[in-house]
Amino acid sequence: MRVHTRKIALIGGGQIGSALALLISQKDHAEVVIIDLPQAIDSIKGKALDIMAMRPHAGVDVPITASSDYSDIAGAEVVIITAGVPRKAGMTRNDLLDINLGVIKSVSKEVAKHAPNAFVVLSTNPVDTMCQAFHKYSGMDKSQIIGLSGALDSGRFRLFIAMKTGISAKDVSCMVMGGHGPTMIPLTRTATVGGIPIQTLLSDQQIEEIVQRTRDAGSEIVNLMGNGSAYISPASAIMEMVVAYLYNKKRLIASSVLCEGEYGIDNCFIGVPCIIGAGGVEKIVEMELNKTESDQLQINYRALQDNITQI
Ligand code: APR
């Protein structure tokens, strides 16, 4: 059996956590340790065994364990935090602020204690504020902390452009900046399909529909599912970020990271383009925004500043 020298810790083994365990093990990336509440642990052990029973079919050897003891995350190179509550129909991500803040406060201290050198990816919503709280309570470096926003939102933006143009999503390149919420900023000005600006392929009205659907995609899924929120696409988007770190890919992925002056934003986690490599968040890439985009970013910044006062 291949000896796994790499370890990834998943804090939260719910919908997104178990999808991550599947994606990590399918590619044999690392040993997986899932941490969850004691009352949930049997069910998660069941999921872990189910995924491990895939080994003979998939030809992989990843060990997956579940525990409520944080000392089991020692040595993890990556910690992915999905612990907390997802939204229900009619809720915004911000409605989860109070409850998930309590979760992140306790989780951050445990992660800082047992895996202080890990690259930490957060998915718990509202994610920008959860990153801010994690940074404050863990005391870990800003280069180690990143939140899932643009990878997922840009993925949805890419999907909707692909669906409208009838061209493969692989050829769509675009970015969503700002907070991971209803005022996120899908950048239409820079979106292309195979290098061709989308304005030459789609009408203004079609583009506006895509922008709105991108902003609402999370809610559209919550409303359709009826019980829980998106988990396959968030887990896949997280894996892009994790793989960029593990294999030093230098990917440019808009993500929630700590801005300290970039884009005129100070001491606030918000979605901006950044380079992810072996150094974690290696660099925030600054680009010129037009007046509308920059005004929208400021609106997002102000809303997040309101949240920060509650941490
Ligand atoms: N410590 C560890 N695990 C916890 C804690 C805690 N303090 N509190 C809750 N959990 C666990 C739950 O027991 C559950 O297994 O977190 C898991 C959350 O899983 P789901 O409820 O299935 O939620 P999921 O769909 O995975 O979303 C998780 O990510 O994208 C965000 O909005 C989403 O905030 C939500 C989070």
Side-chain angles (χ1 to χ4, degrees):
M1 189 173 114
R2 174 171 155 183
V3 177
H4 282 272
T5 52
R6 292 198 131 142
K7 183 161 150 184
I8 297 180
L10 307 177
I11 316 297
Q15 295 281 65
I16 301 177
S18 37
L20 281 165
L22 175 64
L23 294 174
I24 293 165
S25 56
Q26 267 178 332
K27 291 275 166 95
D28 235 356
H29 284 304
E31 172 187 344
V32 178
V33 176
I34 307 174
I35 300 287
D36 208 300
L37 299 170
Q39 61 268 31
I41 214 66
D42 276 348
S43 133
I44 289 163
K45 281 183 175 162
K47 286 184 195 174
L49 187 56
D50 186 22
I51 296 171
M52 279 198 292
M54 187 190 74
R55 281 185 191 174
H57 313 293
V60 296
D61 305 303
V62 167
I64 306 173
T65 51
S67 156
S68 290
D69 180 353
Y70 274 88
S71 66
D72 289 333
I73 72 169
E77 277 179 65
V78 177
V79 173
I80 307 172
I81 302 176
T82 66
V85 175
R87 57 192 169 136
K88 297 192 172 71
M91 291 172 89
T92 67
R93 294 180 181 93
N94 230 33
D95 292 335
L96 306 170
L97 183 67
D98 282 350
I99 184 158
N100 283 347
L101 202 49
V103 172
I104 294 303
K105 256 190 204 178
S106 63
V107 167
S108 56
K109 290 182 182 142
E110 297 287 356
V111 173
K113 184 172 170 197
H114 297 286
N117 300 316
F119 181 56
V120 180
V121 184
L122 288 100
S123 157
T124 306
N125 275 312
V127 72
D128 305 285
T129 309
M130 294 303 120
C131 289
Q132 195 94 29
F134 184 89
H135 182 244
K136 176 173 174 179
Y137 293 110
S138 70
M140 288 165 69
D141 191 78
K142 65 176 181 177
S143 64
Q144 294 174 264
I145 306 167
I146 194 163
L148 170 68
S149 55
L152 177 62
D153 301 323
S154 309
R156 290 168 172 166
F157 191 21
R158 287 172 71 185
L159 171 70
F160 298 139
I161 291 172
M163 285 163 69
K164 274 267 196 261
T165 57
I167 300 171
S168 169
K170 192 170 190 300
D171 294 323
V172 181
S173 176
C174 57
M175 178 171 41
V176 177
M177 288 177 70
H180 183 51
T183 56
M184 66 178 74
I185 312 157
L187 288 179
T188 55
R189 182 173 58 87
T190 58
T192 62
V193 183
I196 301 170
I198 57 166
Q199 289 76 4
T200 63
L201 300 168
L202 298 165
S203 68
D204 289 350
Q205 195 195 325
Q206 285 175 313
I207 293 172
E208 195 37 52
E209 284 166 12
I210 290 169
V211 166
Q212 202 48 49
R213 194 167 183 200
T214 301
R215 289 190 172 128
D216 295 340
S219 305
E220 184 179 348
I221 294 169
V222 168
N223 292 334
L224 286 167
M225 281 173 52
N227 181 21
S229 57
Y231 59 99
I232 301 288
S233 48
S236 307
I238 289 169
M239 284 313 294
E240 281 201 66
M241 300 158 78
V242 169
V243 165
Y245 171 75
L246 285 179
Y247 304 101
N248 195 20
K249 293 276 190 189
K250 313 288 184 198
R251 291 284 313 276
L252 195 161
I253 302 176
S255 307
S256 186
V257 292
L258 183 63
C259 286
E260 292 180 304
E262 295 91 349
Y263 291 99
I265 290 167
D266 192 32
N267 187 31
C268 184
F269 276 82
I270 191 166
V272 289
C274 66
I275 308 282
I276 307 172
V281 180
E282 295 187 346
K283 186 180 188 309
I284 292 173
V285 177
E286 289 198 79
M287 61 183 275
E288 204 160 313
L289 299 178
N290 66 25
K291 169 96 174 59
T292 312
E293 294 158 352
S294 157
D295 288 349
Q296 286 177 341
L297 193 58
Q298 287 299 316
I299 289 169
N300 280 257
Y301 176 30
R302 282 198 291 277
L304 291 172
Q305 279 177 311
D306 282 348
N307 277 0
I308 291 172
T309 59
Q310 297 182 50
I311 295 175

